[in-house]
Amino acid sequence: MNSPLVTTEWLASQTDLSGIFLLDVSVANVVGKTPISYDQLITIPNSYKVSVDRDLSNTEAVGVHVFPTEKQIQSVANNIGFNTQSTLVLYDDQGIYSSPRAWWIFKSFGFEHVFILDGGLPKWRAEGRMTDMVHLVPSGNIVSEDFKLDLSAVKTATDLLVNIETEASTVVDVRAADRFFGRVPEPRPGVRSGHIPKSSNLPFLKVLTSDGLTFKSPNELKVLFEAENFNPTASYIFSCGSGMTACIMLVAAILAGYENVCLYDGSWAEWGADRSLPIEV
């Protein structure tokens, strides 16, 4: 499978999950779209819980949702028992929200067979498929593998500062237009309103279907990006509020055939809070 996505139909057809690790990567805090609320834990059967906020974020670093360390990836892999050759299927309880972030993290650490369940838990439930109320208990298998981060997958504020001068890459901010243009206050205390100089705005909801649960088709995404003057041979850096929803746009670009993509991990939570960095409104 070349696509980053798998369908609910495909997952339901996998009667033998012995070679597949199904990971619930839902997050508690949903920003930028109306959250789907749950009165109790609902899971897709035979899934493990991996916390994007704790397991896949460097909680010792300054910032929000900072990329995890190699040691953290090793810990998650050891806890559940998978490696870079394993097949991972990721889902979240909002349809498409945090699963693209987890996908980019695993891809950036060398996982080749990792996929996003398009539509996630909401689509699975809407189709009347079986659900559960628990996660699998990890077996604690030790994985003998060194995980290395592909440094080209993630950009820093310093990289972005240089890019303002060189314009080697196009920076795409996927926050809502009102936040991008500084018309509303930022949700995080101490963060300025506005955007990175010379960046463009394309809100992430535009790459999702009207219900916000699944990605638009690759052809629809190609038309969208062409209308925004995206160039398939150009380099793109995606940014958002904290590095979460930027990954939705990043995956959408990959679906549309764009290959030279990466993430500004600190995103506006970092840039807007650092008063030494320039902004535009």
Side-chain angles (χ1 to χ4, degrees):
M1 294 180 288
N2 294 322
S3 172
L5 308 180
V6 294
T7 65
T8 50
E9 291 80 7
W10 177 86
L11 182 60
S13 72
Q14 304 303 301
T15 55
D16 180 10
L17 292 177
S18 59
I20 298 173
F21 292 87
L22 184 58
L23 309 181
D24 179 353
V25 293
S26 306
V27 294
N29 189 31
V30 176
V31 178
K33 64 184 291 189
T34 303
I36 300 172
S37 300
Y38 297 83
D39 294 331
Q40 58 188 352
L41 177 64
I42 301 175
T43 66
I44 296 177
N46 299 306
S47 59
Y48 296 93
K49 176 61 180 175
V50 174
S51 172
V52 173
D53 296 318
R54 184 182 63 256
D55 302 326
L56 298 182
S57 294
N58 185 352
T59 56
E60 296 182 359
V62 176
V64 183
H65 298 137
V66 178
F67 238 58
T69 64
E70 293 163 355
K71 184 178 179 180
Q72 283 179 286
I73 296 297
Q74 182 78 58
S75 177
V76 171
N78 284 349
N79 188 39
I80 297 176
F82 57 74
N83 57 36
T84 55
Q85 299 307 307
S86 302
T87 297
L88 310 182
V89 176
L90 317 176
Y91 76 90
D92 68 66
D93 63 7
Q94 300 300 307
I96 292 294
Y97 188 72
S98 52
S99 46
R101 168 75 181 189
W103 182 84
W104 189 242
I105 288 171
F106 282 118
K107 291 292 286 187
S108 300
F109 278 95
F111 288 80
E112 293 297 327
H113 312 291
V114 55
F115 304 96
I116 298 163
L117 182 64
D118 198 22
L121 178 63
K123 188 171 187 293
W124 183 269
R125 293 182 70 203
E127 293 167 347
R129 304 189 190 280
M130 185 178 297
T131 60
D132 208 335
M133 299 176 65
V134 296
H135 292 111
L136 291 177
V137 177
S139 59
N141 295 325
I142 301 300
V143 178
S144 298
E145 185 169 359
D146 292 326
F147 299 94
K148 299 296 182 183
L149 173 65
D150 176 1
L151 297 178
S152 68
V154 183
K155 299 299 181 183
T156 66
T158 300
D159 296 326
L160 271 288
L161 199 57
V162 171
N163 191 73
I164 292 174
E165 300 301 323
T166 65
E167 298 186 61
S169 299
T170 298
V171 178
V172 181
D173 187 324
V174 311
R175 293 175 298 157
D178 281 347
R179 290 179 65 188
F180 180 81
F181 290 108
R183 295 192 287 254
V184 295
E186 280 295 301
R188 294 181 176 88
V191 177
R192 299 169 293 171
S193 297
H195 58 265
I196 298 168
K198 299 183 181 179
S199 60
S200 62
N201 181 227
L202 182 57
F204 76 91
L205 288 177
K206 289 190 175 183
V207 302
L208 302 179
T209 51
S210 59
D211 58 10
L213 298 184
T214 60
F215 281 101
K216 290 180 177 177
S217 71
N219 284 338
E220 289 174 308
L221 294 173
K222 288 177 184 177
V223 170
L224 172 65
F225 290 139
E226 287 170 359
E228 296 290 330
N229 297 315
F230 275 36
N231 183 342
T233 64
S235 170
Y236 291 90
I237 303 171
F238 296 99
S239 177
C240 60
S242 67
M244 181 73 72
T245 56
C247 294
I248 296 175
M249 189 66 69
L250 186 153
V251 170
I254 292 173
L255 289 169
Y258 294 81
E259 297 180 352
N260 198 352
V261 298
C262 60
L263 171 70
Y264 170 31
D265 191 37
S267 284
W268 193 249
E270 176 182 58
W271 193 279
D274 188 341
R275 296 188 177 276
S276 71
L277 297 174
I279 65 171
E280 290 180 349
V281 292

